[in-house]
Amino acid sequence: MNRGGSSPSAATNYLLCTNCRKVLRKDKRIRVSQPLTRGPSAFIPEKEVVQANTVDERTNFLVEEYSTSGRLDNITQVMSLHTQYLESFLRSQFYMLRMDGPLPLPYRHYIAIMAAARHQCSYLINMHVDEFLKTGGMAEWLNGLEYVPQRLKNLNEINKLLAHRPWLITKEHIQKLVKTGENNWSLPELVHAVVLLTHYHALASFVFGSGINPERDPEIANGFRLISVSNFCVCDLANDNNIENASLTSNNFGIVDSLSELEALMVRMKRLHEEREDEEASQEEMSTRFEKETKESLFVVPGDTLHSFPQSDFEDDMIVTSDVSRYIEDPGFGYEDFARRGEEHLPTFRAQDYTWENHGFSLVNRLYSDIGHLLDEKFRMVYSLTYNTMATHEDVDTTMLRRALFNYVHCMFGIRYDDYDYGEVNQLLERSLKVYIKTVTCYPERTTKRMYDSYWRQFKHSEKVHVNLLLMEARMQAELLYALRAITRHLT
Amino acid sequence: MEKMSRVTTALGGSVLTGRTMHCHLDAPANAISVCRDAAQVVVAGRSIFKVYAIEEEQFVEKLNLRVGRKPSLNLSCADVVWHQMDENLLATAATNGVVVTWNLGRPSRNKQDQLFTEHKRTVNKVSFHPTEAHMLLSGSQDGFMKCFDLRRKDSVSTFSGQSESVRDVQFSVRDYFTFASTFENGNVQLWDIRRPDRCEKMFTAHNGPVFCCDWHPEDRGWLATGGRDKMVKVWDVTTPRAREVHCVQTIASVARVKWRPECRHHLATCSMMVDHNIYVWDVRRPFVPAAMFEEHRDVTTGIAWRHPHDPSFLLSGSKDSTLCQHLFRDASQPVERANPEGLCYGLFGDLAFAAKESLVTTELGRKPYAGDRRHPIFFKRKLDPAEPFAGLASSALSIFETETSGSGISWFVDTAQRYALAGRPLAELCDHNAKVARELGRNQVAQTWTMLRIIYCSPGLVPSTNLNHSVGRGSSCGLQLMSSFNLKEMAPGLGNETWLDRSKGDTRSDTVLLDSSATLITNEDNEETEGSDVPADYLLGDVEGDEEELYLLDPEHTHTDEPEYVLPQEAFPLRHEIVDTPPGPEHLQDKADSPHVSGNEADTASLAPVDSFSLISVSHALYDNRLPPDFFSTLVRDMLHFYAEQGDVQMAVSVLIVLGERVRKDIDEQAQEHWYTSYIDLLQRFRLWNVSNQVVKLSTSRAISCLNQASTSLHVNCSHCKRPMSGRGWVCGRCHRCASMCAVCHHVVKGLFVWCQGCSHGGHLQHIMKWLEGSSHCPAGCGHLCEYS
């Protein structure tokens, strides 16, 4: 693995050349190791994605229309497994990056960088560093937060909170930002920034959750590739060093297991469906189930991964972090379980009191026109997307499963639905899946291929991508709701 | 909030009294509902469920329905409704999907009656049948509506909206079997309660969720809906296809809508986000709310009219944890604060004006007076077809177009082409240009030319012995002018001029008003005669006298203060604008103290259209005063500036060129240059290349004339050896051949050479023109069909 070598060298290039990036771009051709797997994703075999792609004219059209980079990047390729969704995703992303909006273009990309940096998502950082420079951003800013205007720096606090503990955002944070002064944010600007931040936090989840590979440069011809300013490290994504092995093992153990797992899940879904009619869970029980679930998510620490990977992995992590950390402050700040034992009790967010449909939408749309419709369509799309299949089975109503996934993510952020029986989560989502969900939404940078492989072994990759989309959107909505609620409170 | 008045209304037997008041609740309210007797109101929310009695001065808590040690989610209410037939019957919709009924008649503390747990998701709305005692309808997030018979344990029928979630359900007030439901996807469905299999009617009402609906209490088929798209729409659903009758645009998403009792066109709305006020709209007046209640500090979540037949009491609950009673009389009325008239200029100078219809109609019949400058009447009034229906508050929108925008271009082109700028004596140039201007109906310009002619030609050219003759010429000129001043010719001409004048501001628009109003023309005529008569009188009285004597005639004018000198005499404040060439009289006043004042006056007078009587006096004046031509230079300068400022840079430049050295030195070099460049730019926009070139050529400004000197070389290649030809353009230095031979006469062309772009043969311009008149083939015999255009 020469990755340890490549990443610091890229970093030094970068550091050296921030002021003379022309030179860097022309002269620095460095041999760089190829990603471990080919194709857009490290988790998904290339042919799965590519097969789907070649057929799809629609995707190409969408990319032409809405892509900012003008080419089919890996994210788009993986998402194109769900073309319906891809359209609304690209449209909203294009709108927030390129269309009318209160923030100048370089700002938007820099905010994206800041957001992605919270999760050390170098893929997104690379992408947006390029775009940032292309849209006329000051190269100097890329040296880190100390070099950006105070105004952008002020965004750091809510970036941090939104990324890891959105429930801590209060109207005071908002007030601090919009308070008149030299570096104040106007509300429309702030909403735009919040939308960008949440979008890129969530997208980072998707990138890690689906093991998106770094972009390969088109001019890869003779084994050389052009290192652009932004390359910190080419392949820090796949924290999993032994992907081949992992996939081998996953293939080896328990095909029988997984088959029965699937059957069991189907049975449980069916039973739940029927039970609803007869069994009446006592109200008290219902209300405690949520707390139980939030509490339980405490134990679903991706801790088991700690053991399964050599220490070196995390050292690598540290290296990467040092690269990325110039865009963030307080890198130690991370997700903390919502319902932490023994600490002061935070009020749960009652979903019915501040819903996206009723409240969030109106506020967003008022301050940053039209984004509301695009996000609305995206949320709606991901929530209702179904092919009525589950692995090998057809004609399955997966509503229950989708809802469980969505609500479980919200649950981890302390958002509670009165009309949801959180007991369902326990029955429908197996432990390995919960681990995966928690990792992807809360500590996406720790996601490994093993986690990805270990749940729902019978399911198709496209279905797992669907899961990732759900997680991503649920996370984005949760963050948005907290941020928008704070803004609403500031307004009233 | 303490200004509150008290209202007492007699309704049948019961009497409603009260004032605007509010009371604090312990928690935010989600919904409110009023008891049939209009004396109690129930407030429900996530952690509140109470009945308040509405007393005269205050709300009094009567009952807390939220009992039990550990309140369950069943008590977390999204909606509450009080039965309109039974005072003891209440129903709530819980956020966890349970529908609960309450019987206030129960003796125990817990009034909970029945529990329906059929919905899987939050129940958004419950609705009792208006006349049937036991029928309850619920609409839930899971997309189903259920009808319950309270005598049974479970639902009687389930209606599937085939959509994500139901936001509101309402029984029709008039049709026993009908109810309406609204959906998150923007649809509204009408159902027959007896047919759960499919809806009777469905239409898309809004873009985005429809949060609420309300049946009109009297009009059978009217249904009001409110949506997230900030609209309230009123539908007529009696027709096979639901028809939108009214549409009100609010400023925030509409959370609730309630028809106002006894007022056919009024409805109250409140918003879900951002906007905390309650509005009462007259649907016929969709842009300004009829009334506005501003008591709440957070979003209003529930509104209810206190009594179904009393339009003056409105109750509301809010997220700010207050319950309010609003009195219509205490409402603020935005209409009173709004500016009732709007005025706006369009991109092309059109003017739109909206005002109360009554105001407009009365004004149309009325003559515009000097103080009213909003109606320049040279605009054409055109009624907008989309004018609002006639209602209690309809307004008229008028759009005024400038009539002369078309001819505004043609006169410019004509003038540019026909003006003579050089090559003839000054007098002739002036005469010619005056004639051109007059033919185009631009009398003011024509007169200016004539004036210039008089200023610069008459005294200089005519020897003193020949003065009589010169006066004759001058007067004939004046007469000619006068004849041109008949009214018919004047009207279009004025249109032209006023078009330019509009930018000039108030004083000019006064003139416009007077000049163009037909009713005032005669008046103006009189004025003008007076205006010229007065100085004439002076002159008649004391022709030979110098200014001192002149002033002494009038004791008032012993002070030589210029405005006093003129204004009291006239008693017409507008006098100066009436005279066609403003710089003249203005200058005259400036120079009131100068020894040549009388002559000056005479000069102006001769230009004004006057009767021969005053003309004679004028000519007398001319005799006595020999004026040096440069005396007028400031006057002319002002005149040029005047034209330039008006936008008629053409006139400014033309005069500048025609007069040449006579005025050039008096005018700022930069201003000249600016005029030139503007005029040249205009000419080029009209593709008047020749005129523009002539102007450049004649300009005296260095910066302008060098425009012609830049990039004048034409690079030519030899047609034989294909090398660039240097030095002379007609003989190739390399192959020593004559490059450009005329295909007709076979001589070398020096000067204008015309090529065919098709076969590259050519020759002398005249030769080729002549040749192609007779033949369509190339004169060189190449067989190409050349075209000359």
Side-chain angles (χ1 to χ4, degrees), chain B residues 700-727:
Chain B
T700 43
S701 164
R702 279 189 58 81
I704 300 301
S705 50
C706 73
L707 283 180
N708 253 0
Q709 309 303 317
S711 69
T712 50
S713 51
L714 189 66
H715 299 280
V716 196
N717 282 1
C718 173
S719 58
H720 299 290
C721 63
K722 313 284 183 224
R723 310 261 178 175
M725 299 206 294
S726 51

Short mmCIF file of all heavy atoms in Angstrom, two decimals, chain B residues 700-727:
data_model
loop_
_atom_site.label_atom_id
_atom_site.label_comp_id
_atom_site.label_asym_id
_atom_site.label_seq_id
_atom_site.Cartn_x
_atom_site.Cartn_y
_atom_site.Cartn_z
N THR B 700 -15.80 70.76 -36.34
CA THR B 700 -14.60 71.56 -36.12
C THR B 700 -13.79 71.02 -34.97
O THR B 700 -12.68 71.47 -34.73
CB THR B 700 -15.00 73.01 -35.84
OG1 THR B 700 -16.12 72.98 -34.95
CG2 THR B 700 -15.39 73.70 -37.11
N SER B 701 -14.40 70.09 -34.28
CA SER B 701 -13.68 69.54 -33.14
C SER B 701 -12.64 68.53 -33.63
O SER B 701 -12.93 67.69 -34.48
CB SER B 701 -14.68 68.88 -32.20
OG SER B 701 -14.01 68.05 -31.32
N ARG B 702 -11.47 68.64 -33.11
CA ARG B 702 -10.39 67.76 -33.57
C ARG B 702 -10.69 66.30 -33.25
O ARG B 702 -10.49 65.42 -34.08
CB ARG B 702 -9.07 68.15 -32.90
CG ARG B 702 -8.37 69.31 -33.53
CD ARG B 702 -6.98 69.45 -32.94
NE ARG B 702 -6.18 68.25 -33.11
CZ ARG B 702 -5.55 67.95 -34.24
NH1 ARG B 702 -5.62 68.76 -35.27
NH2 ARG B 702 -4.83 66.83 -34.34
N ALA B 703 -11.19 66.11 -32.07
CA ALA B 703 -11.44 64.74 -31.64
C ALA B 703 -12.44 64.05 -32.55
O ALA B 703 -12.37 62.84 -32.78
CB ALA B 703 -11.95 64.73 -30.20
N ILE B 704 -13.36 64.84 -33.08
CA ILE B 704 -14.38 64.25 -33.94
C ILE B 704 -13.84 64.04 -35.35
O ILE B 704 -13.97 62.97 -35.93
CB ILE B 704 -15.62 65.15 -34.00
CG1 ILE B 704 -16.21 65.33 -32.61
CG2 ILE B 704 -16.66 64.56 -34.93
CD1 ILE B 704 -16.60 64.06 -31.93
N SER B 705 -13.22 65.07 -35.86
CA SER B 705 -12.81 64.95 -37.26
C SER B 705 -11.75 63.88 -37.45
O SER B 705 -11.61 63.33 -38.54
CB SER B 705 -12.32 66.30 -37.79
OG SER B 705 -11.38 66.84 -36.90
N CYS B 706 -11.03 63.56 -36.40
CA CYS B 706 -10.04 62.50 -36.57
C CYS B 706 -10.69 61.12 -36.63
O CYS B 706 -10.05 60.14 -36.96
CB CYS B 706 -8.98 62.55 -35.48
SG CYS B 706 -9.55 62.00 -33.90
N LEU B 707 -12.00 61.08 -36.33
CA LEU B 707 -12.71 59.81 -36.48
C LEU B 707 -12.64 59.33 -37.92
O LEU B 707 -12.62 58.14 -38.20
CB LEU B 707 -14.19 59.98 -36.09
CG LEU B 707 -14.54 60.06 -34.62
CD1 LEU B 707 -16.03 60.23 -34.46
CD2 LEU B 707 -14.09 58.79 -33.91
N ASN B 708 -12.63 60.31 -38.79
CA ASN B 708 -12.61 60.00 -40.21
C ASN B 708 -11.23 59.57 -40.69
O ASN B 708 -11.09 59.02 -41.76
CB ASN B 708 -13.02 61.24 -41.01
CG ASN B 708 -14.40 61.06 -41.54
OD1 ASN B 708 -14.99 60.04 -41.32
ND2 ASN B 708 -14.89 62.07 -42.25
N GLN B 709 -10.24 59.90 -39.88
CA GLN B 709 -8.87 59.67 -40.33
C GLN B 709 -8.36 58.30 -39.93
O GLN B 709 -7.34 57.85 -40.43
CB GLN B 709 -7.94 60.75 -39.72
CG GLN B 709 -8.43 62.17 -39.94
CD GLN B 709 -8.63 62.48 -41.41
OE1 GLN B 709 -7.81 62.11 -42.25
NE2 GLN B 709 -9.73 63.15 -41.74
N ALA B 710 -9.07 57.69 -39.01
CA ALA B 710 -8.56 56.40 -38.52
C ALA B 710 -8.96 55.27 -39.45
O ALA B 710 -10.03 55.30 -40.07
CB ALA B 710 -9.13 56.15 -37.13
N SER B 711 -8.10 54.33 -39.55
CA SER B 711 -8.27 53.12 -40.37
C SER B 711 -8.92 53.41 -41.71
O SER B 711 -9.98 52.93 -42.04
CB SER B 711 -9.06 52.05 -39.62
OG SER B 711 -10.38 52.44 -39.46
N THR B 712 -8.22 54.19 -42.47
CA THR B 712 -8.76 54.55 -43.77
C THR B 712 -8.08 53.79 -44.90
O THR B 712 -8.49 53.90 -46.04
CB THR B 712 -8.57 56.05 -44.03
OG1 THR B 712 -7.22 56.38 -43.76
CG2 THR B 712 -9.50 56.88 -43.17
N SER B 713 -7.04 53.08 -44.54
CA SER B 713 -6.33 52.40 -45.63
C SER B 713 -7.04 51.11 -46.00
O SER B 713 -7.59 50.41 -45.16
CB SER B 713 -4.89 52.12 -45.21
OG SER B 713 -4.87 51.49 -43.97
N LEU B 714 -7.02 50.83 -47.27
CA LEU B 714 -7.67 49.64 -47.78
C LEU B 714 -6.56 48.78 -48.38
O LEU B 714 -5.84 49.22 -49.28
CB LEU B 714 -8.68 50.05 -48.86
CG LEU B 714 -9.61 48.98 -49.36
CD1 LEU B 714 -10.56 48.54 -48.27
CD2 LEU B 714 -10.38 49.50 -50.57
N HIS B 715 -6.41 47.62 -47.86
CA HIS B 715 -5.32 46.77 -48.36
C HIS B 715 -5.80 45.96 -49.55
O HIS B 715 -6.84 45.33 -49.50
CB HIS B 715 -4.84 45.86 -47.24
CG HIS B 715 -4.30 46.63 -46.08
ND1 HIS B 715 -3.03 47.16 -46.07
CD2 HIS B 715 -4.87 47.01 -44.91
CE1 HIS B 715 -2.83 47.80 -44.93
NE2 HIS B 715 -3.94 47.74 -44.21
N VAL B 716 -5.00 46.01 -50.58
CA VAL B 716 -5.39 45.35 -51.83
C VAL B 716 -4.29 44.39 -52.26
O VAL B 716 -3.10 44.70 -52.12
CB VAL B 716 -5.61 46.38 -52.95
CG1 VAL B 716 -6.39 45.77 -54.09
CG2 VAL B 716 -6.32 47.61 -52.42
N ASN B 717 -4.72 43.29 -52.76
CA ASN B 717 -3.75 42.37 -53.36
C ASN B 717 -3.81 42.50 -54.88
O ASN B 717 -4.88 42.76 -55.44
CB ASN B 717 -4.07 40.94 -52.97
CG ASN B 717 -3.61 40.64 -51.56
OD1 ASN B 717 -3.07 41.51 -50.89
ND2 ASN B 717 -3.84 39.42 -51.13
N CYS B 718 -2.72 42.25 -55.45
CA CYS B 718 -2.70 42.25 -56.91
C CYS B 718 -3.51 41.07 -57.42
O CYS B 718 -3.41 39.97 -56.88
CB CYS B 718 -1.25 42.14 -57.39
SG CYS B 718 -1.14 41.93 -59.18
N SER B 719 -4.29 41.29 -58.44
CA SER B 719 -5.16 40.22 -58.90
C SER B 719 -4.37 39.19 -59.72
O SER B 719 -4.87 38.11 -59.99
CB SER B 719 -6.31 40.79 -59.73
OG SER B 719 -5.79 41.51 -60.81
N HIS B 720 -3.14 39.55 -60.09
CA HIS B 720 -2.37 38.60 -60.89
C HIS B 720 -1.39 37.80 -60.05
O HIS B 720 -1.40 36.57 -60.12
CB HIS B 720 -1.60 39.34 -61.99
CG HIS B 720 -2.53 40.07 -62.92
ND1 HIS B 720 -3.35 39.42 -63.80
CD2 HIS B 720 -2.79 41.39 -63.06
CE1 HIS B 720 -4.06 40.30 -64.46
NE2 HIS B 720 -3.75 41.52 -64.03
N CYS B 721 -0.57 38.49 -59.28
CA CYS B 721 0.44 37.76 -58.53
C CYS B 721 0.05 37.51 -57.09
O CYS B 721 0.81 36.90 -56.34
CB CYS B 721 1.79 38.48 -58.60
SG CYS B 721 1.75 40.11 -57.83
N LYS B 722 -1.13 37.96 -56.72
CA LYS B 722 -1.67 37.73 -55.38
C LYS B 722 -0.82 38.32 -54.25
O LYS B 722 -0.87 37.85 -53.13
CB LYS B 722 -1.85 36.22 -55.10
CG LYS B 722 -2.51 35.45 -56.20
CD LYS B 722 -4.01 35.72 -56.22
CE LYS B 722 -4.68 34.87 -57.29
NZ LYS B 722 -5.65 35.61 -58.08
N ARG B 723 0.02 39.25 -54.57
CA ARG B 723 0.83 39.87 -53.51
C ARG B 723 0.17 41.16 -53.06
O ARG B 723 -0.52 41.80 -53.85
CB ARG B 723 2.22 40.23 -54.05
CG ARG B 723 2.89 39.10 -54.78
CD ARG B 723 3.86 38.44 -53.87
NE ARG B 723 4.49 37.32 -54.56
CZ ARG B 723 5.46 36.62 -54.02
NH1 ARG B 723 5.92 36.96 -52.83
NH2 ARG B 723 5.99 35.61 -54.66
N PRO B 724 0.42 41.51 -51.87
CA PRO B 724 -0.12 42.81 -51.45
C PRO B 724 0.50 43.94 -52.23
O PRO B 724 1.71 43.92 -52.52
CB PRO B 724 0.24 42.88 -49.96
CG PRO B 724 1.23 41.82 -49.72
CD PRO B 724 1.10 40.80 -50.79
N MET B 725 -0.30 44.87 -52.59
CA MET B 725 0.21 45.99 -53.37
C MET B 725 0.56 47.11 -52.41
O MET B 725 -0.23 47.52 -51.58
CB MET B 725 -0.85 46.46 -54.35
CG MET B 725 -1.25 45.37 -55.31
SD MET B 725 -1.88 45.99 -56.83
CE MET B 725 -3.35 46.76 -56.30
N SER B 726 1.76 47.55 -52.55
CA SER B 726 2.18 48.66 -51.71
C SER B 726 2.27 49.91 -52.57
O SER B 726 2.29 49.83 -53.79
CB SER B 726 3.52 48.35 -51.05
OG SER B 726 4.43 47.94 -52.06
N GLY B 727 2.36 51.00 -51.90
CA GLY B 727 2.46 52.25 -52.64
C GLY B 727 1.17 52.57 -53.35
O GLY B 727 0.13 52.68 -52.71
#
